[in-house]
Amino acid sequence: MREEINIDVSIIIPTYNRLWCLPRAINSCRAAQCKTEIIIVDDGSTDGTWDWLKKQSGLIIFYQKNQGQTYAINKGLERANGKYVRFLDSDDFLVEGIIDEQFLNAESQQADLVYSGVDMYNEINKEIVKSPELNPWNDFLEVQLGNSYGSHFLGMLFKTEWVRKVPRRPDFAFREDRMFLLEYGLLEPKISLVKGCAGYWVKHPEQMQANYRGWKSQVTNWQHLNIYKKILGDLADNGKLTQLRKNAACNVLWPLAHWIARDYPGEAIEVVNWIYELNPSFKIPEKGTLGLFYSKLGFKTTEKILKIRRALKQ
């Protein structure tokens, strides 16, 4: 049984071979004035992370044999005592003051989720790429289904009791963050906006998503597609699949169909047919020659042309 401790915010940081950036992530959480706990779960690192963590103060640390980030996050959540929780990848970092600002907002607005913007940080050249200022969201699920700017969990503070209803899903390991946000959205949380930037989503060569190749790429696509089938199915069953939500989903399903078509053209065509069932007025987003090809020649023929083009470039 979890020990009851009066904590305002739990910060859960899963890590694997990220000693080069983990101290930065941790330090970005230390200056909060509200009562916080920083929970680090080392997922079997081999770069000295665990030895380093054991020498640090003010942290709650756990070690597990390498099982993947999803299991590490759930392990941290089991220990979390905060009224609210935020998740921070060990290569990203927060803006000073955002923990307090979002916590106070959550309390004053009685919100189940507080969100702010997220900027990009290039690890190679140390440049910050500012993102557009967020406006209040009318429909959290519509935003998440469209996977538009600002929908990254780095910028969010969650109500812990709600998070426990939708723990991270190992069966969607390559897209579990998207699944989590969508399932959280199904709970219909009360949301509140804190203007400004919450943290920096760091771009670097070792980033997990950037290294998906071969079967990992296709498994990722399969998981992504099945997430949308499940979430849209749940919404339809409950009479909550609005046209705006359908349209948002189509903006993600179209590029997903393109990636699936590289190896599985038949399945990709099924996705395209589903898009037009969801939104008969769907407009192909590509412009110029490629957009003309899709419009005039159709998805199947255009993908065949693209496949030939890729083969010639190799």
Side-chain angles (χ1 to χ4, degrees):
M1 182 177 293
R2 203 170 54 253
E3 181 184 359
E4 295 299 326
I5 302 175
N6 184 24
I7 297 293
D8 296 322
V9 179
S10 299
I11 304 115
I12 298 175
I13 306 178
T15 189
Y16 175 70
N17 288 346
R18 288 286 185 266
L19 188 54
W20 63 269
C21 56
L22 177 59
R24 178 177 63 190
I26 293 172
N27 288 336
S28 74
C29 304
R30 286 195 182 276
Q33 298 301 306
C34 63
K35 295 180 180 178
T36 62
E37 59 181 7
I38 304 172
I39 302 171
I40 315 294
V41 183
D42 182 1
D43 186 39
S45 296
T46 58
D47 64 348
T49 291
W50 184 242
D51 289 336
W52 180 83
L53 282 171
K54 289 188 292 185
K55 299 175 184 176
Q56 308 309 305
S57 61
L59 303 176
I60 299 168
I61 61 174
F62 296 97
Y63 179 87
Q64 65 180 27
K65 292 183 179 180
N66 183 241
Q67 300 177 64
Q69 178 173 285
T70 309
Y71 288 96
I73 292 173
N74 285 338
K75 187 176 186 70
L77 184 61
E78 288 176 4
R79 171 58 178 78
N81 291 289
K83 183 176 181 180
Y84 302 92
V85 63
R86 71 178 316 123
F87 304 102
L88 179 63
D89 286 345
S90 55
D91 49 357
D92 299 331
F93 57 104
L94 300 176
V95 168
E96 184 176 352
I98 193 62
I99 296 174
D100 290 316
E101 194 170 357
Q102 288 190 334
F103 167 70
L104 292 173
N105 183 275
E107 290 287 274
S108 65
Q109 300 300 316
Q110 297 185 344
D112 308 303
L113 183 150
V114 178
Y115 63 99
S116 301
V118 174
D119 289 342
M120 304 291 185
Y121 179 81
N122 189 313
E123 190 67 47
I124 302 300
N125 59 25
K126 311 303 180 186
E127 287 185 354
I128 293 174
V129 179
K130 293 283 188 180
S131 298
E133 186 69 43
L134 280 183
N135 293 314
W137 294 338
N138 294 321
D139 184 346
F140 179 76
L141 263 179
E142 180 189 342
V143 173
Q144 298 310 314
L145 286 167
N147 196 13
S148 57
Y149 158 67
S151 64
H152 196 287
F153 64 86
L154 169 62
M156 300 179 190
L157 181 73
F158 303 91
K159 182 74 72 66
T160 305
E161 64 182 277
W162 285 50
V163 173
R164 296 193 194 283
K165 299 176 183 179
V166 287
R168 300 301 186 98
R169 300 274 295 275
D171 48 329
F172 290 99
F174 294 141
R175 282 289 180 264
E176 59 87 17
D177 53 350
R178 183 56 40 193
M179 186 61 160
F180 164 70
L181 288 174
L182 288 168
E183 289 194 314
Y184 197 90
L186 289 177
L187 300 176
E188 299 184 338
K190 180 181 179 181
I191 65 176
S192 181
L193 170 65
V194 168
K195 289 280 191 176
C197 173
Y200 297 100
W201 187 11
V202 178
K203 297 297 183 180
H204 58 87
E206 296 181 16
Q207 206 157 24
M208 184 172 62
Q209 292 89 341
N211 294 311
Y212 289 159
R213 299 288 186 273
W215 69 267
K216 282 188 177 181
S217 175
Q218 288 303 341
V219 170
T220 300
N221 293 333
W222 180 85
Q223 290 181 349
H224 208 161
L225 177 60
N226 279 277
I227 285 172
Y228 275 72
K229 286 181 178 179
K230 181 186 184 306
I231 297 299
L232 295 186
D234 287 349
L235 288 171
D237 290 343
N238 290 287
K240 296 180 180 179
L241 185 55
T242 66
Q243 191 58 52
L244 286 175
R245 290 174 174 179
K246 291 179 181 180
N247 295 349
C250 290
N251 293 332
V252 171
L253 291 173
W254 175 262
L256 182 58
H258 168 72
W259 285 106
I260 293 174
R262 288 172 173 254
D263 295 295
Y264 302 99
E267 286 81 351
I269 291 171
E270 292 178 5
V271 176
V272 172
N273 291 337
W274 185 30
I275 290 171
Y276 282 103
E277 289 176 11
L278 292 169
N279 181 9
S281 302
F282 177 75
K283 303 295 183 184
I284 294 170
E286 283 79 9
K287 306 298 182 183
T289 303
L290 184 57
L292 184 64
F293 277 19
Y294 278 124
S295 299
K296 300 298 182 182
L297 302 179
F299 181 85
K300 182 177 181 179
T301 301
T302 301
E303 289 298 329
K304 285 183 178 179
I305 293 172
L306 291 175
K307 188 171 185 177
I308 294 171
R309 181 183 177 186
R310 286 193 295 267
L312 291 174
K313 285 186 174 182
Q314 291 179 350

